Amino acid sequence: MTGAHPPTPGRPSPRPRPGGEEFAVCDDRVDLWLMRSPDPRDGTALDTSELDETEQRRAASFIRPADGLLYATAHVALRRLLSRYTHTLPHAIRFVREPCPGCGGAHGRPALAPTPARPPLHFSLSHSAGVALVGVAAAPVGVDVERLPRQESVTICGKALHPGEQRELAGTPAQELTSRFGQIWTRKEAYLKGIGTGLSRSPAQDYLGADGRRHPPGWTVLDIPCTATHSAAAAVRGPAPGTVDVRWLHGDWLTARGAGGAADRPGPAVPALAC
């Protein structure tokens, strides 16, 4: 997003960033970073040296190599992004889990291990079918990206949605059904990740459909431009942020060659809609 204009209702209005703020955590701003898995056929090697042992084992455990590559891509990107925001080496980033809002157990939202000098920083990570999304904000944030489902999957999974969302899907033309379902589902998962419950909270409990006035109070939900085959959304606690930056990371940012400076050349920003 570029330019500076007065905010309009329902649509965050961006402001240019002063020099040096590309990787600063600011109130009233949400940063959203999209990326694709490197294509092994083009000879580009993903640098996984900064992942910890748990991440390395998890990446190696996937049955489909493409799924393991996407997992590793997302976590390398997360570490390198948080490294820039916190001025910490990527391999030195330490993660913890916040308490679950339902039971209090240590399986709530992922978070950075606290340090006295660091200002509040919240993040969220999602990946699906070759695309990953990272959100960074000063307030609690959740993101979700999903490959658009087959129509039969919409029929099955739609039964788990809020009754109001089910009624909206029932009135959706067949040619728009998968994209509409993807929009609702990614909004819902982003919100549930933002509050820390994930899908342990029933998808039928909260309405995230077309009427933004009925969305959960105290949260702003954003539809994120993604790809023709994916839907993406973010949810951030509080009113609509004044700036929403949605950027694609360059492919070489994830390689050993790109580790040092490619993040200084992120792709062009694109608009996001508050809904």
Side-chain angles (χ1 to χ4, degrees):
M1 300 179 72
T2 56
H5 307 280
T8 55
R11 189 182 185 104
S13 177
R15 295 186 297 274
R17 295 185 181 183
E21 289 190 4
E22 190 71 55
F23 296 95
V25 180
C26 303
D27 293 335
D28 201 31
R29 190 178 94 202
V30 177
D31 291 346
L32 299 162
W33 302 92
L34 285 154
M35 69 224 68
R36 298 180 187 270
S37 290
D39 188 344
R41 295 172 298 179
D42 67 9
T44 300
L46 178 69
D47 177 13
T48 61
S49 62
E50 293 155 350
L51 300 182
D52 65 23
E53 291 183 7
T54 300
E55 292 165 323
Q56 298 271 8
R57 286 196 302 270
R58 175 64 174 152
S61 70
F62 287 89
I63 296 174
R64 295 179 66 248
D67 294 337
L69 178 61
L70 177 60
Y71 173 90
T73 298
H75 283 258
V76 168
L78 177 65
R79 283 184 173 273
R80 291 190 176 176
L81 285 168
L82 294 180
S83 168
R84 294 300 182 93
Y85 283 98
T86 64
H87 308 288
T88 305
L89 292 173
H91 69 270
I93 297 287
R94 295 291 178 265
F95 298 106
V96 296
R97 286 277 186 171
E98 295 180 349
C100 170
C103 68
H107 50 262
R109 293 190 312 127
L112 288 173
T115 61
R118 184 163 54 226
L121 181 155
H122 298 268
F123 68 89
S124 184
L125 169 67
S126 179
H127 47 83
S128 172
V131 176
L133 172 63
V134 173
V136 179
V141 62
V143 301
D144 190 52
V145 60
E146 302 283 348
R147 184 165 187 157
L148 295 179
R150 297 186 298 271
Q151 194 141 347
E152 54 267 31
S153 298
V154 174
T155 302
I156 295 170
C157 298
K159 297 175 182 177
L161 296 177
H162 185 280
E165 297 163 347
Q166 293 188 44
R167 287 191 293 270
E168 290 177 15
L169 288 178
T172 300
Q175 66 271 23
E176 300 174 12
L177 190 59
T178 57
S179 60
R180 183 61 182 150
F181 175 86
Q183 185 180 56
I184 292 172
W185 191 263
T186 53
R187 289 175 181 176
K188 189 174 298 288
E189 282 222 47
Y191 169 68
L192 295 178
K193 290 170 73 174
I195 64 175
T197 65
L199 288 172
S200 65
R201 182 181 175 96
S202 169
Q205 190 164 340
D206 306 288
Y207 172 83
L208 276 302
D211 187 355
R213 296 168 300 179
R214 297 171 57 195
H215 288 179
W219 286 78
T220 296
V221 181
L222 303 161
D223 291 328
I224 308 305
C226 191
T227 73
T229 57
H230 289 70
S231 183
V236 60
R237 192 171 71 188
T243 302
V244 181
D245 257 346
V246 185
R247 293 177 180 268
W248 283 89
L249 292 178
H250 290 290
D252 65 351
W253 198 73
L254 300 169
T255 66
R257 177 170 52 87
D264 294 327
R265 303 187 303 278
V270 294
L273 276 178
C275 48

